[in-house]
């Protein structure tokens, strides 16, 4: 089974940049999108053989997630309101689906923002999200993917020293990722490539960052640790353009 996750930074914009070609070339069984920045009905997009599931933000042009799947899920999973202040909220950040042998959770994690001004919100989000994932994991394995807005280790970004305590590389956010992995989950890319450097999935539009490969790895597939031995491929498709992120891939047999 092949899965792709991609923060498209505006689906209507990337749709004009060969999105359908990239979609077909990647040929995923399940294709997860984040930051679609769409409201329902703004773009008529469908692919033969795929069902689609969407989560829209109330705020126009903001956030949003979607899943295209040619494996029919059993159901869409309702995300419990574990904390009404933050989760799941009205920002369209999660699509969760149950399949025969696993749960899929596609997520666009809130950014802590400049000066970490949204860090408290982010920490509450992380606690609720971890609780939700653990509840699912108690039933069957979980595949959790998306733009998780954190570079976990120093090797996950080009300039760790100058970015320490910036959004996405604060001790608090990294600590939450450590807690999640310690709760029985595995970073699929690091499972296969524990020491690989200069493997990034996001680059700033400024300072020719992508050209220089001055990036961050903030897009993930995370799985329940008990199925980590079944990981076959974990890849970062930095050859694909159209967004400030590139697609990431997981192939796994469940």
């Amino acid at each position: 089974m092949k899965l792709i996750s991609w923060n498209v930074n505006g689906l209507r914009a990337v749709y004009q940049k060969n999105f359908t070609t990239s979609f077909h070339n990647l040929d995923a069984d399940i294709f997860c999108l984040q930051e679609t920045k769409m409201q329902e009905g703004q773009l008529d997009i469908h692919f033969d053989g795929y069902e689609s599931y969407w989560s829209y933000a109330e705020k126009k042009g903001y956030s949003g997630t979607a899943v295209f799947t040619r494996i029919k899920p059993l159901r869409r999973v309702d995300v419990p309101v574990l904390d009404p202040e933050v989760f799941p909220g009205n920002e369209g950040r999660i699509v969760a689906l149950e399949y025969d042998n696993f749960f899929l959770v596609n997520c666009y994690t809130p950014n802590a923002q400049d000066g970490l001004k949204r860090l408290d919100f982010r920490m509450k989000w992380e606690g609720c999200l971890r609780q939700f994932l653990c509840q699912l994991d108690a039933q069957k394995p979980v595949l959790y993917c998306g733009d998780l807005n954190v570079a976990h280790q120093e090797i996950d970004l080009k300039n760790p020293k100058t970015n320490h305590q910036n959004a996405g590389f604060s001790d608090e956010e990294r600590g939450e990722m450590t807690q999640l992995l310690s709760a029985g989950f595995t970073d699929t890319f690091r499972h296969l490539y524990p020491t690989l450097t200069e493997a990034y999935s996001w680059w700033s539009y400024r300072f020719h960052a992508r050209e220089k490969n001055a990036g961050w790895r903030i897009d993930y597939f995370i799985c329940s640790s008990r199925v980590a031995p079944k990981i076959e491929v974990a890849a970062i498709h930095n050859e694909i353009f159209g967004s400030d992120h590139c697609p990431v891939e997981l192939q796994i047999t469940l």
Side-chain angles (χ1 to χ4, degrees), residues 3-5 144-145 186-188 220-223 248-250:
L3 303 96
I4 292 288
S5 175
Y144 167 48
C145 71
T186 295
D187 176 348
T188 62
Y220 294 80
F221 274 99
I222 289 173
C223 69
V248 297
E249 175 183 340
L250 172 66

Side-chain angles (χ1 to χ4, degrees), residues 11-251:
L11 182 55
R12 286 172 294 168
V14 80
Y15 193 73
Q16 306 300 320
K17 302 174 184 177
N18 296 318
F19 174 77
T20 55
T21 300
S22 297
F23 184 96
H24 289 301
N25 287 344
L26 287 165
D27 191 29
D29 298 299
I30 301 173
F31 204 117
C32 301
L33 304 179
Q34 305 88 42
E35 209 172 357
T36 56
K37 297 184 178 180
M38 278 177 46
Q39 307 300 119
E40 187 170 8
Q42 285 188 312
L43 180 66
D44 181 17
I45 180 170
H46 63 274
F47 296 99
D48 289 344
Y50 288 84
E51 295 182 0
S52 62
Y53 298 83
W54 300 78
S55 184
Y56 303 102
E58 289 183 4
K59 181 179 177 182
K60 291 183 178 180
Y62 180 75
S63 189
T65 47
V67 174
F68 292 87
T69 176
R70 58 188 178 198
I71 304 171
K72 187 173 181 62
L74 300 176
R75 65 185 178 102
R76 182 166 184 164
V77 178
D78 292 328
V79 181
V81 184
L82 300 172
D83 184 334
E85 290 185 14
V86 299
F87 196 83
N90 59 358
E91 298 185 353
R93 293 188 177 274
I94 292 177
V95 176
L97 302 172
E98 181 180 3
Y99 291 86
D100 287 337
N101 300 321
F102 65 97
F103 288 102
L104 173 75
V105 179
N106 175 33
C107 180
Y108 176 42
T109 299
N111 191 299
Q113 298 185 351
D114 291 342
L116 301 179
K117 61 187 177 184
R118 212 183 187 197
L119 183 62
D120 288 346
F121 178 93
R122 169 70 178 266
M123 292 299 98
K124 291 178 182 177
W125 167 278
E126 293 286 354
C128 291
L129 193 281
R130 185 172 61 254
Q131 183 178 344
F132 175 53
L133 294 175
C134 288
Q135 289 173 353
L136 297 180
D137 184 53
Q139 303 172 55
K140 61 179 72 172
V142 174
L143 302 181
Y144 167 48
C145 71
D147 174 0
L148 305 188
N149 261 318
V150 62
H152 185 218
Q153 304 177 43
E154 289 194 353
I155 59 173
D156 290 323
L157 72 165
K158 182 70 171 181
N159 298 304
K161 288 183 172 57
T162 56
N163 281 293
H164 181 232
Q165 288 305 102
N166 284 345
F169 199 61
S170 68
D171 294 340
E172 294 86 349
E173 292 164 298
R174 296 170 68 197
E176 289 292 337
M177 176 62 85
T178 298
Q179 283 195 58
L180 175 63
L181 299 179
S182 298
F185 295 91
T186 295
D187 176 348
T188 62
F189 187 81
R190 286 289 168 228
H191 179 75
L192 295 186
Y193 308 105
T195 61
L196 183 63
T197 60
E198 299 189 346
Y200 308 127
S201 63
W202 173 80
W203 303 262
S204 171
Y205 280 133
R206 298 182 296 172
F207 310 122
H208 303 284
R210 190 157 185 174
E211 179 182 332
K212 300 174 182 177
N213 197 28
W216 299 50
R217 189 177 73 93
I218 60 176
D219 301 270
Y220 294 80
F221 274 99
I222 289 173
C223 69
S224 297
S225 293
R226 64 186 180 278
V227 298
K230 299 182 178 182
I231 298 168
E232 298 168 356
V233 173
I236 299 174
H237 288 280
N238 58 12
E239 77 281 4
I240 295 179
F241 290 78
S243 168
D244 51 350
H245 296 249
C246 72
V248 297
E249 175 183 340
L250 172 66
Q251 293 187 39

